[in-house]
Amino acid sequence: METTHHHQSAPLVPMGPPPAPTAGTETATLNIEGMTCASCSNFVEKALSRTPGVKSATVNLASEKATIEYLPGQVDRAGLKAAVEQAGYGVHESSPAVAANVLASDEELDARKAAAYQTLKRRFQVAVALAVVIMPLSMLMLWPAMMSRISTPVLNYVLLALTLPVLLYSGREFYVSAWNGLTHRTASMDTLIAVGTGAAFLYSLAATLIPHWFMQHGLMPEVYYDTTATIIALILLGKVLESRAKSKTSAAIKALMGLQARMARVVRNGQEVDLPIEQVVVGDEVVVRPGEKVATDGTILTGNSAVDESMLTGESLPVEKKAGDNVFGATLNKTGSFRFRVSKVGAETMLSQIVKLVEEAQGSRAPIQQLADKVSAVFVPVVIMIAIATFVVWFDLAPEASRVPLALVGFVAVLIIACPCALGLATPTAIMVGTGKGAEHGVLIRNAEALEKAEKVTTVLLDKTGTITRGEPSVTDFLTTNGDTPAHLLPLLAAVERQSEHPLAEAVVRYADTQGGSRLTATAFQAYEGRGAGATVDGQVILLGNRRLLSEHNVVLSTDTEQQAMQLLSQAKTVLYAAIGGHVAALIGVADTVRESSRAAIQAMQADGIEVVMMTGDNQQTAAKVAEQVGIKRYFAEVLPADKAVKVKELQAEGRVVAMVGDGINDAPALAQADIGLAMGGGTDVAMEAAGITLMRSDLQGVVTAIDLSRQTMRTIKQNLFFAFVYNTLGIPIAAGLLYPFTGWLLSPMLAAAAMALSSVSVLTNSLRLRGYKHSA
């Protein structure tokens, strides 16, 4: 595995494939058309779940997508599509070329949604323009002077003519959807709107065409065209606002997709040519100049530069890159120019993998949503029964002269005020914004369940190496013993170590590079396995290694030097001895150093009431030293890789909700055992697959962000669900006229429509507040 070490910033490593579904199954995503409320998504989900060969199906109302896990031998994509269509809904299929590219298929979907939004807006504009005329005309009967000039039958026919376009053009979708539902024996929000407005319109139509029949039965032939037109206009207003807000919930995904480079400068037949990104293939050589975007993923062949990877990791400092290092598409080249060999294109790139992971998370369902799902499954039929009961009660108990108008107004108001929409949008909209926001901050949340679990965390268990510490040796002390200066000695020692590939040698070279100084050349280099290395630099024989190497070459240590070495060893550091011309010249202390951000991140978690526990394979002394450095009170030392998961179980047995943070292959069982696993971005693909959350940079501030964002998202979901339940619980009885006997208040169907439109929009607006989330790092 390639990694890039630089003192400023943590490495970003290629992501492995997303976690595979259950053995033998495949996952498909369908774009569903025609869903308007939670009842719709329930019906589609049930239709898919009942299809033979489908293991699980999740339908997201906010993203209008269905995610299905199925057995390919028993059902195929066409069978899944047929199941959706039999339930009365549509499926939009992209062309195979577009479908193969995550980014292109999402762009096509956005274009379709934009076109649908424009159509919806036109329908709303027509409804409003006519409702504005219908409303005052309906009130003319309040002015007897005006009514003496226009006869009631003529006015009713004028109102009918104005209402028909609202009904047949603006409101057409509601009636078509309700009819489809009826033919498939299902009912949705559209059913409520269609029955409510349809009842008001048909009553008005009868009063217009056969007023004498009403007169014969002692009833006034009243019309409710204004009710029909205004309700449709208000509900369409709600849908326009909802559609705009929904498009904003996926703003983070769109921002990620917008990062993709459109062109690449490719070397073909020795010539540099600019090609569209779609024509770049694995193995191509690509040239990147200062200030340009890296076109796709690959490995640097020649040149070096600093690359801004903040769009993928959230890390603000550029990362130094040299030959052999990995670069990633959509990142921004800052200073130098370089050539790289393309290793991944299209759907395989880091950017596409992140987009896919975030989309899957947005399509997933949080356990907290189950109650809302159960309610919305029976919601519409129950509301229709309440509306019928309202009509019957008013018709029986109201005074004879007003029984029909009162019964009709109550019936329509109950149908219109009920809003399964708010229930359906409460959870997915917050999850879409929350997971998208996480990706912006370099926190990839695998699914909604991980989000919900992260909110409940009481204990964070940190693997020391590579998590609290850098996971690589760094020079911590450089002590000269012969009166010479570090500025003179370092270039000599670095010249020897540049010939070696040992991690401790790399640490010395990195340290020398940061200190500056001349670059010397070593000759007669010799590696002493397990002991160190030697070479001649500037005519001087230099040895650099452990105590054994010095003993073999009869180099004697003074008492002072012995004491200095013992002091470094007591601090759990590795000591390198440097000898020049047979005399000890310097002692170098090397240790796996604590990351600068670790202490602050651990303190932030502790301030939030989370206990932070450290786990390491190191001895008790080293563990205690690191724990003290970062302010951790409880730690497990000398833990074997196989026992890491056991330690997680121990904490769980104490009644704690455990988040495990790790980066290595040996952390995977512990990550899977924990209530929620967080894999560091500098880690292995295996660790990332076992984790519920992946941190794109190797920095503990990502853990703070993940937990904090989870808490804020779950708080928003709970607020949304509370509002949706309270709204419907209070709204329906008021619409039914429960307050009328006590206060004389009766809810107008038009007010009911305004309330219903507002309920969906308020839930969405609350979710969109998460877009302003700022992480505490």
Side-chain angles (χ1 to χ4, degrees), residues 385-399 402-404 406-408 410-411 736-738 740-741:
M385 286 192 285
I386 293 170
I388 293 168
T390 302
F391 186 92
V392 170
V393 170
W394 278 110
F395 194 83
D396 282 349
L397 302 181
S402 58
R403 64 161 59 153
V404 175
L406 284 173
L408 187 67
F411 175 75
L738 199 68
Y740 185 76

Side-chain angles (χ1 to χ4, degrees), residues 536-564:
T536 303
V537 184
D538 260 4
Q540 300 178 80
V541 177
I542 296 172
L543 289 172
L544 191 57
N546 58 20
R547 185 77 179 267
R548 234 171 94 203
L549 181 69
L550 267 62
S551 300
E552 285 173 10
H553 288 80
N554 302 315
V555 177
V556 181
L557 270 71
S558 68
T559 311
D560 284 352
T561 307
E562 284 267 23
Q563 282 177 343
Q564 285 178 310

